[in-house]
């Protein structure tokens, strides 16, 4: 069967586009939750800007975990939930520091603490942290399951059947000892 010249590469690009779209959908909801909770806290309490932002970020992180696990990355490995959750929290805390570090710098470093400025820098901080979160979540937290062909190749190699994807070597039955190969003449 003939395969297009760039078939596997195009498939990887399409899969990445789908992943980015799902991540963006969940992240977009998270941004709305984050900014909504942030502005609600700021308008109803006297809490300092960065403290209100940290609370809003934590609420958004909880929302995002549910969206990532059950929507964006539902097809990824689901074993080791404790490990997954621990890594998610660890990388989310790093993202929280990045996000709120931008806001802290703008507010306390430059004195930009008006409502418009805090929302703008909160949004910029979310954007910077999102790049880190996308990389870390897809790389470490929600790992891709191995492709079925790769799994069968690994199993075949483990069982001493390397070299043939059909599970046999030398025309024998699966699991039978491989027949010795005769070397080809040098002129061919």
């Amino acid at each position: 069967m003939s395969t297009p010249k760039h078939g596997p590469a195009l498939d990887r690009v399409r899969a990445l586009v789908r992943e980015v779209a799902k991540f963006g959908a969940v992240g977009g909801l998270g941004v709305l939750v984050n900014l909504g909770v942030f502005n609600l806290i700021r308008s109803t309490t006297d809490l300092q800007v960065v403290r209100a932002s940290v609370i809003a970020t934590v609420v958004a992180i909880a929302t995002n975990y549910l969206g990532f696990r059950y929507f964006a990355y539902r097809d990824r490995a689901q074993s080791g939930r404790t490990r997954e959750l621990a890594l998610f929290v660890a990388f989310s805390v790093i993202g929280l520091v990045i996000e709120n570090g931008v806001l802290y710098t703008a507010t306390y470093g430059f004195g930009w603490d008006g409502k418009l400025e805090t929302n703008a820098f909160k949004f910029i901080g979310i954007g910077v942290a999102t790049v880190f979160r996308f990389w870390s979540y897809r790389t470490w937290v929600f790992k891709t399951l191995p492709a079925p062909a790769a799994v069968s190749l690994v199993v075949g190699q483990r069982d001493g059947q390397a070299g043939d994807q059909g599970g046999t070597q030398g025309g024998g039955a699966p699991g039978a000892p491989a027949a010795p190969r005769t070397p080809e003449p040098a002129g061919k």
Side-chain angles (χ1 to χ4, degrees), residues 23-100:
F23 188 91
V26 172
L29 177 62
V31 168
L32 292 176
V33 168
N34 199 332
L35 291 173
V37 171
F38 174 68
N39 284 299
L40 180 67
I41 292 172
R42 293 278 294 151
S43 66
T44 60
T45 70
D46 291 330
L47 211 55
Q48 293 177 348
V49 174
V50 176
R51 289 183 183 166
S53 180
V54 168
I55 292 168
T57 304
V58 169
V59 172
I61 287 169
T63 304
N64 286 352
Y65 178 75
L66 296 172
F68 289 136
R69 169 41 52 215
Y70 298 107
F71 174 67
Y73 295 115
R74 70 176 178 257
D75 60 334
R76 301 288 174 99
Q78 293 190 21
S79 61
R81 280 288 168 97
T82 304
R83 177 189 168 278
E84 174 185 285
L85 191 55
L87 286 172
F88 183 83
V89 168
F91 288 119
S92 293
V93 167
I94 294 169
L96 180 143
V97 170
I98 293 169
E99 174 183 329
N100 292 292

Side-chain angles (χ1 to χ4, degrees), residues 96-161:
L96 180 143
V97 170
I98 293 169
E99 174 183 329
N100 292 292
V102 170
L103 182 61
Y104 180 89
T105 302
T107 303
Y108 300 110
F110 296 108
W112 297 328
D113 60 354
K115 189 170 185 162
L116 181 62
E117 290 97 353
T118 56
N119 275 290
F121 284 100
K122 173 95 172 130
F123 188 76
I124 291 168
I126 289 170
V128 173
T130 295
V131 173
F132 169 76
R133 287 178 177 133
F134 177 72
W135 169 80
S136 63
Y137 294 166
R138 78 183 304 262
T139 304
W140 299 101
V141 181
F142 302 107
K143 290 186 173 188
T144 306
L145 293 170
V151 171
S152 64
L153 180 61
V154 169
V155 170
Q157 287 175 343
R158 181 194 68 205
D159 295 339
Q161 300 170 351

